[in-house]
Amino acid sequence: MSFLRRRKPPPTPSSPPNDSSDHDNNNNNDDSDIDNNNKDENNKNIVDKERNKTREEEEEKRKKNNNEKKKRWSCLDNCWWFVGGVCTVWWCLLFLYNAMPRSIPQYVTEVIAGPMPDPPGIKLAKEGLKANHPVVFVPGIVTCGLELWEGQSCADGLFRKRLWGGTFGELYKRPLCWVKHMSLDNETGLDPPGIRVRPVSGLVAADYFAPGYFVWAVLIANLARIGYEEKNMYMASYDWRLSFQNTEVRDQTLSRMKSKIELMVATNGGKKVVVIPHSMGTLYFLHFMKWVEAPAPMGGGGGSHWCAKHIKSVMNIGGPFLGVPKTLAGLFSMEAKDIAIAKAFAPHVLDSDVFHFQTLQHLMRMTRTWDSTMSMIPKGGETIWGGLDWSPEGHYECDSKQHKDDHNSSMKNMNYGRIISFGKEVAKSHSSKFERLDFKGVLKGKKHVNASICDVWTEYHEMGVETVKAIENYKAFTADSILDLLYFVAPKMMKRGDAHFSHGIADDLNDPKYKHYKYWSNPLATTLPNAPDMEIYSMYGVGIPTERAYVYKVNSDSECNIPFKIDTSADGGNENSCLRGGIYSADGDETVPVLSSGFMFAKGWRGKTRFNPSGIRTYILEYEHSPPANLLEGRGTQSGAHVDILGNFALIEDIIRVAAGATCEDLGGERVHSDIFKWSEKIDLKLW
């Protein structure tokens, strides 16, 4: 290189030394050394500058790349960070709450919200109440834990781990495997080959649905305050996915409940049990009371007086005795209020953004194998739920909580009897203003989609475009025609359901056909047991807008999507309207309308009727909803919501008093806040 010094060649021996020339040469060499050193320094400076420039350019590129990465963040990234932050703060607060002495959070709560009342168990223990009658809990749909006993290779390591309830960890880790193991056989309604999922046993089966989310835990803790323990409390857990009779066929659950009740009565001095069913558990226990009296092999062989000998009271909580409109929306389009709003706000969150597959379609296929859901399809048809131009509730105003019957009401065109309407105008107009075209004669010819491009097959994939259009052209579906609709869009599901449940009204209860188990969970097609000394309560929340009817539209977003969805753009147009986000609301507990929970107690079973031939005393206890005043109250002690009511202090106190021996008269009689008696008078049901 140029800045390296060239070495001087050695003198040749033949050349004589020349002093003067040597001196000159030395001077010249010194000068050249100085010049070379200067060149070296300049070259080094140039190299250093180039290196610094390269570093600066690399640093700028790095910053630019970082900025670009930040700019690539989507709304979903921000949402996940927000959720993560909230969860972190929540778990930190929860850790502090549990780590510090109990007196500190109680002191803080009392400073903010005022003195807290004693829990019912402590209050009644001070009054001297003691454990008396054994207590049986019957959980509802989805609240009882399910665990894996046998599975396929994708479920390795999950033996006796909870697939339903708890943390739901496996849902996030292996969602498709979870869906496969939570589904039942689409032909038999029982276990698929190679899979066994069974209910968790004991009080832990349904004390908490998930960590921190109580179901029966608060009630159990308060009963323990007056002396109850596992020897006189029993959780009648069952596989809530199965039809009621199939829980006996597969697991002998009804036989186990019969034996346990007999044992509890025998070991507690002959004291009868107090049974506390919740939600769908009320229908399950209604089925049990008919099963236990019926002769074997279809029934339990207990005889016609078994219930009279073993049951003091049945305290039903949030019972959907006549069905739930919300069930129809779930079976028809896998929607309810919350899901419809989520889909409207973020259309793909429930599909590719979360689990990277078509979530709702997989859930629809799974839940349509759960035969128990068909027990909650509305019963009684138009006689109970109303027709095209009438409904028992009239024109209920959600905000003012007033029942309006005058024709000058702003809601005079609204009608709950049309459980599903295609279009807001159809929902509001008189039936004479639109034409309905029958859909049942339309052949399912050309397929709606190419199923091979979709993640999962549903029965909708077998429908043609003309079929979807025909359903839309029928305009409005009542409680009668909705059954025809479900038979049309989900024939396999309804075929299984027809073998296990009924949804009509019996003409003659003495007809031998009504001795079949398919009628036992339908209050309108069976009779209460022969137990005149028994008390039956219906305890439910009121004052919360509850789904009652829906406005739908055809979904054309994607070939693989469910072809129908709730029209969330449909609103009533004023603050008192019960039409919001495509959903008509009526009075209820947020899940079950008052009409379903209260009618049989207000009229159908009131006194001696053909449905209650022995005259069992029936009572209504309604609890007005009052939301928690602040976050420190958790889910509240005066809630009327469908699950949160299990932590309602007034309801817990009523249950403890009855378990300790009280009757409804001792409680002060019935408590009714809704218009259930007025609505019941509008229903023309033959009582004899």
Side-chain angles (χ1 to χ4, degrees):
M1 295 180 67
S2 60
F3 58 86
L4 294 177
R5 181 182 301 174
R6 181 176 295 175
R7 296 184 63 183
K8 181 180 178 182
T12 58
S14 58
S15 301
N18 189 333
D19 293 339
S20 62
S21 62
D22 287 345
H23 178 74
D24 291 339
N25 287 335
N26 287 335
N27 289 335
N28 291 333
N29 287 336
D30 291 340
D31 292 339
S32 64
D33 288 344
I34 294 173
D35 291 340
N36 288 333
N37 288 334
N38 291 335
K39 288 180 181 180
D40 291 345
E41 291 178 4
N42 291 334
N43 289 332
K44 289 180 181 179
N45 291 335
I46 292 172
V47 170
D48 291 340
K49 287 180 180 180
E50 289 178 352
R51 288 177 178 171
N52 291 335
K53 186 177 180 181
T54 303
R55 290 195 195 100
E56 291 175 358
E57 289 176 352
E58 290 176 353
E59 188 67 26
E60 288 179 3
K61 287 181 181 179
R62 195 178 296 112
K63 290 179 179 179
K64 187 177 181 181
N65 290 335
N66 290 336
N67 291 333
E68 287 178 356
K69 287 180 181 178
K70 291 179 181 179
K71 289 177 182 178
R72 289 194 200 110
W73 274 47
S74 65
C75 176
L76 186 64
D77 295 320
N78 294 328
C79 289
W80 284 124
W81 273 101
F82 175 76
V83 171
V86 170
C87 290
T88 301
V89 172
W90 170 255
W91 285 111
C92 288
L93 292 175
L94 189 64
F95 172 78
L96 291 174
Y97 181 85
N98 287 282
M100 66 179 65
R102 296 294 297 172
S103 58
I104 296 178
Q106 182 179 349
Y107 172 76
V108 174
T109 302
E110 290 182 355
V111 167
I112 297 175
M116 297 292 290
D118 283 337
I122 295 177
K123 173 186 172 183
L124 298 179
K126 291 178 180 178
E127 293 182 13
L129 268 67
K130 300 291 184 183
N132 191 2
H133 294 274
V135 172
V136 177
F137 308 110
V138 186
I141 192 169
V142 309
T143 55
C144 182
L146 301 175
E147 61 187 17
L148 183 69
W149 280 80
E150 180 184 1
Q152 298 182 358
S153 58
C154 67
D156 287 346
L158 298 182
F159 176 67
R160 294 205 65 197
K161 298 287 181 65
R162 287 201 184 195
L163 292 186
W164 188 270
T167 61
F168 287 91
E170 299 310 316
L171 169 60
Y172 307 113
K173 294 177 183 176
R174 28 189 159 182
L176 289 176
C177 183
W178 180 85
V179 168
K180 180 186 296 184
H181 285 76
M182 283 299 299
S183 299
L184 295 170
D185 189 280
N186 204 27
E187 299 292 338
T188 65
L190 295 169
D191 293 323
I195 293 176
R196 283 186 295 148
V197 176
R198 297 293 182 263
V200 178
S201 60
L203 295 177
V204 297
D207 54 353
Y208 287 91
F209 176 67
Y213 191 91
F214 71 82
V215 182
W216 294 94
V218 177
L219 178 56
I220 292 171
N222 279 276
L223 283 165
R225 294 284 188 177
I226 67 166
Y228 279 92
E229 50 190 290
E230 283 209 79
K231 70 180 181 181
N232 49 13
M233 286 194 294
Y234 168 60
M235 182 70 71
S237 59
Y238 60 100
D239 190 336
W240 42 262
R241 302 171 301 161
L242 300 173
S243 69
F244 300 158
Q245 192 68 8
N246 273 344
T247 63
E248 174 65 15
V249 171
R250 195 193 74 177
D251 300 334
Q252 294 75 53
T253 305
L254 299 175
S255 295
R256 294 171 189 273
M257 193 189 308
K258 175 177 179 284
S259 299
K260 185 66 176 181
I261 290 174
E262 291 172 344
L263 177 64
M264 294 174 80
V265 172
T267 56
N268 283 274
K271 295 174 182 176
K272 301 177 185 179
V273 300
V274 172
V275 184
I276 310 170
H278 173 247
S279 189
M280 191 186 75
T282 62
L283 301 177
Y284 187 66
F285 194 73
L286 188 64
H287 180 97
F288 169 82
M289 288 192 293
K290 297 301 295 183
W291 172 87
V292 76
E293 292 182 338
M298 185 182 294
S304 59
H305 298 289
W306 190 93
C307 291
K309 292 178 181 178
H310 295 89
I311 302 174
K312 173 191 184 291
S313 303
V314 182
M315 308 192 76
N316 301 286
I317 304 174
F321 290 99
L322 299 180
V324 185
K326 198 173 187 177
T327 302
L328 297 174
L331 294 175
F332 185 53
S333 65
M334 201 58 220
E335 288 180 297
K337 180 180 178 181
D338 298 335
I339 292 178
I341 292 173
K343 285 174 64 179
F345 179 73
H348 302 294
V349 164
L350 292 176
D351 287 325
S352 59
D353 283 351
V354 178
F355 296 119
H356 303 287
F357 61 82
Q358 293 163 337
T359 311
L360 289 181
Q361 287 85 325
H362 279 277
L363 292 179
M364 170 174 278
R365 187 173 184 183
M366 178 180 72
T367 55
R368 281 188 177 183
T369 67
W370 297 350
D371 289 351
S372 63
T373 58
M374 286 174 280
S375 71
M376 295 185 289
I377 292 174
K379 304 176 180 71
E382 295 183 7
T383 301
I384 301 295
W385 296 92
L388 286 174
D389 296 309
W390 82 279
S391 59
E393 299 98 328
H395 307 296
Y396 181 82
E397 293 189 357
C398 289
D399 285 351
S400 61
K401 298 182 183 179
Q402 295 296 319
H403 184 62
K404 301 294 183 183
D405 287 316
D406 65 88
H407 294 286
N408 294 322
S409 168
S410 62
M411 293 300 295
K412 65 182 181 181
N413 291 324
M414 186 273 294
N415 177 25
Y416 290 121
R418 302 170 195 175
I419 296 180
I420 288 181
S421 302
F422 277 90
K424 178 181 174 182
E425 292 305 315
V426 171
K428 294 173 59 178
S429 303
H430 191 273
S431 61
S432 62
K433 301 295 184 182
F434 55 85
E435 181 183 4
R436 302 165 76 205
L437 302 177
D438 192 8
F439 63 90
K440 295 189 289 293
V442 177
L443 296 176
K444 298 180 182 179
K446 182 181 176 182
K447 292 185 179 181
H448 179 61
V449 297
N450 178 9
S452 63
I453 67 174
C454 303
D455 284 351
V456 61
W457 176 89
T458 69
E459 289 172 306
Y460 281 129
H461 294 158
E462 299 299 318
M463 292 171 51
V465 176
E466 296 82 3
T467 311
V468 174
K469 191 67 178 176
I471 292 173
E472 181 187 21
N473 288 338
Y474 196 71
K475 306 294 186 184
F477 295 84
T478 64
D480 283 341
S481 55
I482 202 77
L483 291 174
D484 295 330
L485 175 63
L486 291 177
Y487 275 107
F488 190 71
V489 301
K492 287 188 176 181
M493 176 189 76
M494 293 302 290
K495 181 181 178 182
R496 295 194 319 272
D498 189 54
H500 290 274
F501 302 104
S502 80
H503 305 97
I505 301 173
D507 295 323
D508 180 8
L509 286 169
N510 293 319
D511 190 325
K513 77 175 185 178
Y514 292 111
K515 296 185 183 296
H516 191 272
Y517 60 76
K518 68 178 286 184
Y519 299 101
W520 292 347
S521 61
N522 181 359
L524 301 171
T526 191
T527 59
L528 290 177
N530 182 23
D533 294 332
M534 186 193 298
E535 292 183 327
I536 302 182
Y537 297 78
S538 186
M539 313 166 77
Y540 54 88
V542 296
I544 308 178
T546 302
E547 296 172 44
R548 177 67 168 81
Y550 303 88
V551 177
Y552 267 85
K553 66 179 181 180
V554 172
N555 180 15
S556 57
D557 289 346
S558 170
E559 282 190 323
C560 294
N561 282 344
I562 297 166
F564 307 103
K565 67 178 179 180
I566 295 172
D567 185 1
T568 54
S569 66
D571 283 296
N574 65 70
E575 61 181 10
N576 288 331
S577 171
C578 287
L579 174 59
R580 295 180 182 175
I583 299 170
Y584 281 110
S585 298
D587 195 8
D589 67 359
E590 200 171 33
T591 297
V592 184
V594 166
L595 186 65
S596 181
S597 294
F599 171 76
M600 294 305 295
F601 295 81
K603 188 171 184 176
W605 288 333
R606 200 78 172 180
K608 282 192 176 184
T609 70
R610 68 188 182 111
F611 305 107
N612 182 15
S614 67
I616 293 176
R617 291 162 293 167
T618 60
Y619 303 103
I620 295 175
L621 296 177
E622 293 183 344
Y623 301 85
E624 281 194 292
H625 174 69
S626 179
N630 54 67
L631 290 174
L632 295 175
E633 288 189 22
R635 289 153 62 192
T637 59
Q638 301 177 64
S639 176
H642 187 63
V643 177
D644 295 353
I645 197 173
L646 290 169
N648 184 301
F649 278 11
L651 177 137
I652 293 173
E653 182 173 337
D654 289 337
I655 290 174
I656 293 177
R657 288 188 182 279
V658 171
T663 64
C664 188
E665 287 75 15
D666 298 326
L667 299 180
E670 292 185 297
R671 292 191 295 271
V672 180
H673 304 286
S674 71
D675 288 328
I676 184 59
F677 284 102
K678 186 188 296 184
W679 297 341
S680 298
E681 288 304 313
K682 296 181 181 181
I683 296 175
D684 185 16
L685 178 67
K686 185 178 73 172
L687 298 179
W688 282 106

